[in-house]
PDB file of all heavy atoms in Angstrom:
ATOM      1  N   ALA A1306     -16.887   7.074  -6.179  1.00  0.00           N
ATOM      2  CA  ALA A1306     -17.516   7.035  -4.862  1.00  0.00           C
ATOM      3  C   ALA A1306     -18.334   8.303  -4.666  1.00  0.00           C
ATOM      4  O   ALA A1306     -18.116   9.304  -5.345  1.00  0.00           O
ATOM      5  CB  ALA A1306     -16.436   6.938  -3.790  1.00  0.00           C
ATOM      6  N   THR A1307     -19.249   8.239  -3.736  1.00  0.00           N
ATOM      7  CA  THR A1307     -20.055   9.419  -3.412  1.00  0.00           C
ATOM      8  C   THR A1307     -19.540  10.038  -2.107  1.00  0.00           C
ATOM      9  O   THR A1307     -18.455   9.712  -1.665  1.00  0.00           O
ATOM     10  CB  THR A1307     -21.533   9.022  -3.285  1.00  0.00           C
ATOM     11  OG1 THR A1307     -21.588   7.901  -2.406  1.00  0.00           O
ATOM     12  CG2 THR A1307     -22.114   8.665  -4.635  1.00  0.00           C
ATOM     13  N   GLY A1308     -20.312  10.906  -1.503  1.00  0.00           N
ATOM     14  CA  GLY A1308     -19.853  11.610  -0.304  1.00  0.00           C
ATOM     15  C   GLY A1308     -19.169  12.904  -0.719  1.00  0.00           C
ATOM     16  O   GLY A1308     -18.986  13.183  -1.910  1.00  0.00           O
ATOM     17  N   SER A1309     -18.751  13.675   0.266  1.00  0.00           N
ATOM     18  CA  SER A1309     -18.149  14.985  -0.027  1.00  0.00           C
ATOM     19  C   SER A1309     -16.690  14.868  -0.446  1.00  0.00           C
ATOM     20  O   SER A1309     -16.193  15.678  -1.236  1.00  0.00           O
ATOM     21  CB  SER A1309     -18.213  15.883   1.215  1.00  0.00           C
ATOM     22  OG  SER A1309     -19.498  15.857   1.767  1.00  0.00           O
ATOM     23  N   THR A1310     -15.990  13.877   0.090  1.00  0.00           N
ATOM     24  CA  THR A1310     -14.532  13.811  -0.095  1.00  0.00           C
ATOM     25  C   THR A1310     -14.080  13.797  -1.551  1.00  0.00           C
ATOM     26  O   THR A1310     -13.138  14.512  -1.903  1.00  0.00           O
ATOM     27  CB  THR A1310     -13.963  12.590   0.657  1.00  0.00           C
ATOM     28  OG1 THR A1310     -14.491  12.604   1.979  1.00  0.00           O
ATOM     29  CG2 THR A1310     -12.449  12.627   0.700  1.00  0.00           C
ATOM     30  N   PRO A1311     -14.694  12.983  -2.432  1.00  0.00           N
ATOM     31  CA  PRO A1311     -14.144  12.909  -3.794  1.00  0.00           C
ATOM     32  C   PRO A1311     -14.507  14.076  -4.695  1.00  0.00           C
ATOM     33  O   PRO A1311     -14.004  14.147  -5.824  1.00  0.00           O
ATOM     34  CB  PRO A1311     -14.737  11.598  -4.348  1.00  0.00           C
ATOM     35  CG  PRO A1311     -15.878  11.251  -3.483  1.00  0.00           C
ATOM     36  CD  PRO A1311     -15.762  12.000  -2.211  1.00  0.00           C
ATOM     37  N   LEU A1337     -20.371   2.608  -6.867  1.00  0.00           N
ATOM     38  CA  LEU A1337     -19.888   1.742  -5.792  1.00  0.00           C
ATOM     39  C   LEU A1337     -21.030   1.187  -4.950  1.00  0.00           C
ATOM     40  O   LEU A1337     -21.025   0.030  -4.534  1.00  0.00           O
ATOM     41  CB  LEU A1337     -18.965   2.597  -4.916  1.00  0.00           C
ATOM     42  CG  LEU A1337     -18.184   1.993  -3.781  1.00  0.00           C
ATOM     43  CD1 LEU A1337     -17.284   0.876  -4.276  1.00  0.00           C
ATOM     44  CD2 LEU A1337     -17.363   3.084  -3.101  1.00  0.00           C
ATOM     45  N   ASP A1338     -22.007   2.025  -4.704  1.00  0.00           N
ATOM     46  CA  ASP A1338     -23.065   1.635  -3.778  1.00  0.00           C
ATOM     47  C   ASP A1338     -24.323   2.472  -4.044  1.00  0.00           C
ATOM     48  O   ASP A1338     -24.289   3.416  -4.842  1.00  0.00           O
ATOM     49  CB  ASP A1338     -22.600   1.787  -2.319  1.00  0.00           C
ATOM     50  CG  ASP A1338     -21.896   3.120  -2.055  1.00  0.00           C
ATOM     51  OD1 ASP A1338     -21.953   4.023  -2.918  1.00  0.00           O
ATOM     52  OD2 ASP A1338     -21.304   3.269  -0.974  1.00  0.00           O
ATOM     53  N   TYR A1340     -28.468   3.537  -2.244  1.00  0.00           N
ATOM     54  CA  TYR A1340     -29.536   3.353  -1.250  1.00  0.00           C
ATOM     55  C   TYR A1340     -30.596   2.432  -1.828  1.00  0.00           C
ATOM     56  O   TYR A1340     -30.852   2.439  -3.035  1.00  0.00           O
ATOM     57  CB  TYR A1340     -30.187   4.694  -0.915  1.00  0.00           C
ATOM     58  CG  TYR A1340     -29.296   5.629  -0.146  1.00  0.00           C
ATOM     59  CD1 TYR A1340     -28.813   6.793  -0.725  1.00  0.00           C
ATOM     60  CD2 TYR A1340     -28.941   5.355   1.175  1.00  0.00           C
ATOM     61  CE1 TYR A1340     -27.995   7.665  -0.013  1.00  0.00           C
ATOM     62  CE2 TYR A1340     -28.120   6.225   1.892  1.00  0.00           C
ATOM     63  CZ  TYR A1340     -27.656   7.373   1.290  1.00  0.00           C
ATOM     64  OH  TYR A1340     -26.847   8.222   1.998  1.00  0.00           O
ATOM     65  N   TYR A1351     -27.689   7.587  -5.128  1.00  0.00           N
ATOM     66  CA  TYR A1351     -26.307   7.714  -5.587  1.00  0.00           C
ATOM     67  C   TYR A1351     -26.229   7.732  -7.112  1.00  0.00           C
ATOM     68  O   TYR A1351     -25.306   8.304  -7.680  1.00  0.00           O
ATOM     69  CB  TYR A1351     -25.434   6.608  -4.981  1.00  0.00           C
ATOM     70  CG  TYR A1351     -25.026   6.903  -3.549  1.00  0.00           C
ATOM     71  CD1 TYR A1351     -24.313   5.974  -2.798  1.00  0.00           C
ATOM     72  CD2 TYR A1351     -25.321   8.123  -2.946  1.00  0.00           C
ATOM     73  CE1 TYR A1351     -23.922   6.239  -1.493  1.00  0.00           C
ATOM     74  CE2 TYR A1351     -24.937   8.401  -1.648  1.00  0.00           C
ATOM     75  CZ  TYR A1351     -24.236   7.455  -0.924  1.00  0.00           C
ATOM     76  OH  TYR A1351     -23.843   7.740   0.363  1.00  0.00           O
ATOM     77  N   LEU A1402     -12.238   5.458  -3.693  1.00  0.00           N
ATOM     78  CA  LEU A1402     -12.964   5.165  -2.457  1.00  0.00           C
ATOM     79  C   LEU A1402     -12.841   6.325  -1.480  1.00  0.00           C
ATOM     80  O   LEU A1402     -11.802   6.998  -1.443  1.00  0.00           O
ATOM     81  CB  LEU A1402     -12.372   3.918  -1.767  1.00  0.00           C
ATOM     82  CG  LEU A1402     -12.417   2.603  -2.535  1.00  0.00           C
ATOM     83  CD1 LEU A1402     -11.464   1.595  -1.892  1.00  0.00           C
ATOM     84  CD2 LEU A1402     -13.843   2.049  -2.553  1.00  0.00           C
ATOM     85  N   GLY A1403     -13.880   6.522  -0.693  1.00  0.00           N
ATOM     86  CA  GLY A1403     -13.770   7.371   0.484  1.00  0.00           C
ATOM     87  C   GLY A1403     -13.687   6.432   1.678  1.00  0.00           C
ATOM     88  O   GLY A1403     -13.538   5.216   1.519  1.00  0.00           O
ATOM     89  N   ILE A1404     -13.789   6.973   2.858  1.00  0.00           N
ATOM     90  CA  ILE A1404     -13.809   6.111   4.051  1.00  0.00           C
ATOM     91  C   ILE A1404     -14.800   6.705   5.039  1.00  0.00           C
ATOM     92  O   ILE A1404     -14.852   7.924   5.230  1.00  0.00           O
ATOM     93  CB  ILE A1404     -12.385   5.974   4.664  1.00  0.00           C
ATOM     94  CG1 ILE A1404     -12.366   4.951   5.807  1.00  0.00           C
ATOM     95  CG2 ILE A1404     -11.813   7.310   5.103  1.00  0.00           C
ATOM     96  CD1 ILE A1404     -10.956   4.574   6.284  1.00  0.00           C
ATOM     97  N   GLY A1405     -15.606   5.852   5.643  1.00  0.00           N
ATOM     98  CA  GLY A1405     -16.539   6.315   6.664  1.00  0.00           C
ATOM     99  C   GLY A1405     -15.805   6.530   7.982  1.00  0.00           C
ATOM    100  O   GLY A1405     -14.686   6.017   8.169  1.00  0.00           O
ATOM    101  N   THR A1406     -16.416   7.272   8.882  1.00  0.00           N
ATOM    102  CA  THR A1406     -15.750   7.502  10.177  1.00  0.00           C
ATOM    103  C   THR A1406     -15.570   6.186  10.935  1.00  0.00           C
ATOM    104  O   THR A1406     -14.712   6.083  11.805  1.00  0.00           O
ATOM    105  CB  THR A1406     -16.551   8.496  11.045  1.00  0.00           C
ATOM    106  OG1 THR A1406     -17.917   8.052  11.103  1.00  0.00           O
ATOM    107  CG2 THR A1406     -16.515   9.895  10.459  1.00  0.00           C
ATOM    108  N   HIS A1409     -15.701   2.247   7.130  1.00  0.00           N
ATOM    109  CA  HIS A1409     -16.345   1.539   6.016  1.00  0.00           C
ATOM    110  C   HIS A1409     -15.866   2.045   4.656  1.00  0.00           C
ATOM    111  O   HIS A1409     -15.442   3.194   4.513  1.00  0.00           O
ATOM    112  CB  HIS A1409     -17.880   1.565   6.137  1.00  0.00           C
ATOM    113  CG  HIS A1409     -18.558   2.855   5.835  1.00  0.00           C
ATOM    114  ND1 HIS A1409     -19.223   3.591   6.784  1.00  0.00           N
ATOM    115  CD2 HIS A1409     -18.709   3.546   4.684  1.00  0.00           C
ATOM    116  CE1 HIS A1409     -19.737   4.667   6.229  1.00  0.00           C
ATOM    117  NE2 HIS A1409     -19.440   4.672   4.945  1.00  0.00           N
ATOM    118  N   ILE A1410     -15.914   1.162   3.678  1.00  0.00           N
ATOM    119  CA  ILE A1410     -15.697   1.541   2.276  1.00  0.00           C
ATOM    120  C   ILE A1410     -16.936   1.118   1.503  1.00  0.00           C
ATOM    121  O   ILE A1410     -17.514   0.068   1.802  1.00  0.00           O
ATOM    122  CB  ILE A1410     -14.407   0.907   1.662  1.00  0.00           C
ATOM    123  CG1 ILE A1410     -14.319  -0.589   1.944  1.00  0.00           C
ATOM    124  CG2 ILE A1410     -13.167   1.643   2.140  1.00  0.00           C
ATOM    125  CD1 ILE A1410     -13.149  -1.290   1.236  1.00  0.00           C
ATOM    126  N   GLY A1411     -17.308   1.927   0.501  1.00  0.00           N
ATOM    127  CA  GLY A1411     -18.627   1.708  -0.104  1.00  0.00           C
ATOM    128  C   GLY A1411     -19.614   1.847   1.046  1.00  0.00           C
ATOM    129  O   GLY A1411     -19.545   2.795   1.836  1.00  0.00           O
ATOM    130  N   PHE A1412     -20.496   0.867   1.172  1.00  0.00           N
ATOM    131  CA  PHE A1412     -21.348   0.818   2.365  1.00  0.00           C
ATOM    132  C   PHE A1412     -21.076  -0.478   3.121  1.00  0.00           C
ATOM    133  O   PHE A1412     -21.969  -1.046   3.737  1.00  0.00           O
ATOM    134  CB  PHE A1412     -22.829   0.919   1.980  1.00  0.00           C
ATOM    135  CG  PHE A1412     -23.374   2.322   1.957  1.00  0.00           C
ATOM    136  CD1 PHE A1412     -24.218   2.723   0.929  1.00  0.00           C
ATOM    137  CD2 PHE A1412     -23.113   3.233   2.975  1.00  0.00           C
ATOM    138  CE1 PHE A1412     -24.772   4.005   0.898  1.00  0.00           C
ATOM    139  CE2 PHE A1412     -23.660   4.511   2.961  1.00  0.00           C
ATOM    140  CZ  PHE A1412     -24.491   4.901   1.924  1.00  0.00           C
ATOM    141  N   THR A1432     -23.482   5.878  10.488  1.00  0.00           N
ATOM    142  CA  THR A1432     -23.435   6.226   9.059  1.00  0.00           C
ATOM    143  C   THR A1432     -24.706   6.973   8.661  1.00  0.00           C
ATOM    144  O   THR A1432     -24.650   7.940   7.886  1.00  0.00           O
ATOM    145  CB  THR A1432     -23.256   4.950   8.207  1.00  0.00           C
ATOM    146  OG1 THR A1432     -22.010   4.349   8.575  1.00  0.00           O
ATOM    147  CG2 THR A1432     -23.247   5.257   6.725  1.00  0.00           C
ATOM    148  N   ASN A1436     -24.707  10.730   7.132  1.00  0.00           N
ATOM    149  CA  ASN A1436     -25.272  11.028   5.810  1.00  0.00           C
ATOM    150  C   ASN A1436     -26.564  11.841   5.864  1.00  0.00           C
ATOM    151  O   ASN A1436     -27.088  12.247   4.823  1.00  0.00           O
ATOM    152  CB  ASN A1436     -25.512   9.721   5.042  1.00  0.00           C
ATOM    153  CG  ASN A1436     -24.184   9.095   4.599  1.00  0.00           C
ATOM    154  OD1 ASN A1436     -23.117   9.643   4.888  1.00  0.00           O
ATOM    155  ND2 ASN A1436     -24.234   7.986   3.924  1.00  0.00           N
ATOM    156  N   ARG A1438     -26.992  14.785   6.537  1.00  0.00           N
ATOM    157  CA  ARG A1438     -26.843  16.148   6.014  1.00  0.00           C
ATOM    158  C   ARG A1438     -27.322  16.273   4.565  1.00  0.00           C
ATOM    159  O   ARG A1438     -27.581  17.368   4.088  1.00  0.00           O
ATOM    160  CB  ARG A1438     -25.391  16.615   6.135  1.00  0.00           C
ATOM    161  CG  ARG A1438     -24.402  15.872   5.249  1.00  0.00           C
ATOM    162  CD  ARG A1438     -22.975  16.273   5.639  1.00  0.00           C
ATOM    163  NE  ARG A1438     -21.957  15.848   4.700  1.00  0.00           N
ATOM    164  CZ  ARG A1438     -21.436  14.633   4.649  1.00  0.00           C
ATOM    165  NH1 ARG A1438     -21.883  13.682   5.487  1.00  0.00           N
ATOM    166  NH2 ARG A1438     -20.495  14.334   3.782  1.00  0.00           N
ATOM    167  N   PHE A1439     -27.422  15.155   3.864  1.00  0.00           N
ATOM    168  CA  PHE A1439     -27.880  15.203   2.471  1.00  0.00           C
ATOM    169  C   PHE A1439     -29.415  15.136   2.371  1.00  0.00           C
ATOM    170  O   PHE A1439     -29.970  15.247   1.288  1.00  0.00           O
ATOM    171  CB  PHE A1439     -27.280  14.045   1.670  1.00  0.00           C
ATOM    172  CG  PHE A1439     -25.772  14.128   1.557  1.00  0.00           C
ATOM    173  CD1 PHE A1439     -24.959  13.225   2.219  1.00  0.00           C
ATOM    174  CD2 PHE A1439     -25.174  15.134   0.811  1.00  0.00           C
ATOM    175  CE1 PHE A1439     -23.566  13.303   2.122  1.00  0.00           C
ATOM    176  CE2 PHE A1439     -23.789  15.228   0.702  1.00  0.00           C
ATOM    177  CZ  PHE A1439     -22.991  14.307   1.358  1.00  0.00           C
ATOM    178  N   LYS A1473     -11.419  11.897   9.945  1.00  0.00           N
ATOM    179  CA  LYS A1473     -11.090  10.596   9.341  1.00  0.00           C
ATOM    180  C   LYS A1473      -9.770  10.029   9.870  1.00  0.00           C
ATOM    181  O   LYS A1473      -9.362   8.934   9.484  1.00  0.00           O
ATOM    182  CB  LYS A1473     -11.012  10.733   7.814  1.00  0.00           C
ATOM    183  CG  LYS A1473     -12.301  11.204   7.143  1.00  0.00           C
ATOM    184  CD  LYS A1473     -13.391  10.144   7.234  1.00  0.00           C
ATOM    185  CE  LYS A1473     -14.744  10.624   6.758  1.00  0.00           C
ATOM    186  NZ  LYS A1473     -14.839  10.875   5.345  1.00  0.00           N
TER     187      LYS A1473
HETATM  188  C1  GLP B3025     -20.913   7.127   2.360  1.00  0.00           C
HETATM  189  C2  GLP B3025     -20.506   6.443   1.069  1.00  0.00           C
HETATM  190  C3  GLP B3025     -19.027   6.119   1.067  1.00  0.00           C
HETATM  191  C4  GLP B3025     -18.228   7.340   1.473  1.00  0.00           C
HETATM  192  C5  GLP B3025     -18.623   7.754   2.866  1.00  0.00           C
HETATM  193  C6  GLP B3025     -17.832   8.948   3.385  1.00  0.00           C
HETATM  194  O1  GLP B3025     -21.120   6.215   3.365  1.00  0.00           O
HETATM  195  N1  GLP B3025     -21.245   5.246   0.852  1.00  0.00           N
HETATM  196  O2  GLP B3025     -18.635   5.662  -0.223  1.00  0.00           O
HETATM  197  O3  GLP B3025     -16.855   7.046   1.423  1.00  0.00           O
HETATM  198  O4  GLP B3025     -20.006   8.111   2.824  1.00  0.00           O
HETATM  199  O5  GLP B3025     -18.371  10.135   2.907  1.00  0.00           O
HETATM  200  P1  GLP B3025     -17.691  11.547   3.021  1.00  0.00           P
HETATM  201  O6  GLP B3025     -16.619  11.547   1.992  1.00  0.00           O
HETATM  202  O7  GLP B3025     -18.763  12.530   2.726  1.00  0.00           O
HETATM  203  O8  GLP B3025     -17.140  11.649   4.387  1.00  0.00           O
END
Side-chain angles (χ1 to χ4, degrees):
T1307 50
S1309 312
T1310 311
L1337 186 58
D1338 46 12
Y1340 291 112
Y1351 281 175
L1402 299 164
I1404 187 169
T1406 51
H1409 74 246
I1410 48 174
F1412 269 138
T1432 299
N1436 288 1
R1438 67 189 192 279
F1439 296 110
K1473 300 292 172 69

